[in-house]
Amino acid sequence: MTRALFIIDVQNDFTEGGALVVAGGSAVAAGVSALLAQHPNAYACVFASRDWHDPDGDNGGHFALSGEPDYSESWPVHCVAGTPGAEYHQALKLPEHTIHIRKGQGEAGYSIFDGVSEGGDKTGELLITNGVTDVDIVGLATDHCVRASGLDALEHGQHLRVLTDLVAGVNPDASEAALAELAYAGAVLATSDVVA
């Protein structure tokens, strides 16, 4: 068994004070850092994804450039490549060997599997290369990118645990529904105290 950690979109624009705030986002950043500090050898690989949207255009309709966003398919401008909003939250302390995944380059890109590493490798390929069989997932937002990334991990044959104390969502009801959907698809819902 080789376990990896997926840290989904713990970025300034998704935390308090950002363009698209997820309540509790800053606490998730601090909690993930504490988990990594307490269990430095728990994960063979750590993957951290970021929305890294193009500065020009609407990124495939993802940005509502005219009119109001519907907060389902279209969103306010956020996480534009190279801006402070796209950077990791300052409380998130990542290990040196972290594999950084950029997604949403010209498109919506909700799942970590939609992105590529700095070397251009896809997430699914990197899981195979590193012999990963099990994934723990944390981050933002439960009802959007955590959900999409978790469902894709299950489709890629991973044994998935969602660490429910280290995720936060946009909408409480939608977040509960997302966790239920993940569990129904085969994920284990657990708190971070299961990490050894």
Side-chain angles (χ1 to χ4, degrees), residues 6-9 11 14 47-53 62 72 75 78 100-105 107-117 121-125 127 135 137-138 140-156 158 160 182:
F6 280 1
I7 304 169
I8 307 299
D9 301 0
Q11 296 170 262
F14 294 138
F47 292 77
S49 71
R50 281 185 288 180
D51 273 7
W52 201 253
H53 294 304
H62 191 59
S72 174
W75 304 88
H78 62 277
H100 301 278
I101 303 291
R102 292 177 174 176
K103 61 188 181 64
Q105 297 172 283
E107 59 185 14
Y110 291 99
S111 171
I112 192 171
F113 289 87
D114 296 334
V116 294
S117 70
D121 296 310
K122 294 181 179 179
T123 302
E125 295 166 352
L127 291 174
V135 170
I137 191 168
V138 298
L140 309 171
T142 311
D143 41 346
H144 295 284
C145 296
V146 169
R147 172 190 171 274
S149 298
L151 291 172
D152 280 353
L154 290 164
E155 275 198 20
H156 280 78
Q158 295 296 316
L160 181 72
L182 286 162

Side-chain angles (χ1 to χ4, degrees), residues 159-186:
H159 299 106
L160 181 72
R161 291 192 306 199
V162 183
L163 304 184
T164 56
D165 55 328
L166 294 176
V167 295
V170 175
N171 178 289
D173 291 339
S175 296
E176 285 298 316
L179 291 174
E181 182 181 5
L182 286 162
Y184 182 78

Side-chain angles (χ1 to χ4, degrees), residues 65-93:
L65 297 182
S66 58
E68 287 296 310
D70 64 15
Y71 295 93
S72 174
E73 301 295 328
S74 63
W75 304 88
V77 174
H78 62 277
C79 299
V80 172
T83 65
E87 296 304 321
Y88 296 116
H89 188 279
Q90 63 182 5
L92 183 65
K93 308 300 182 194

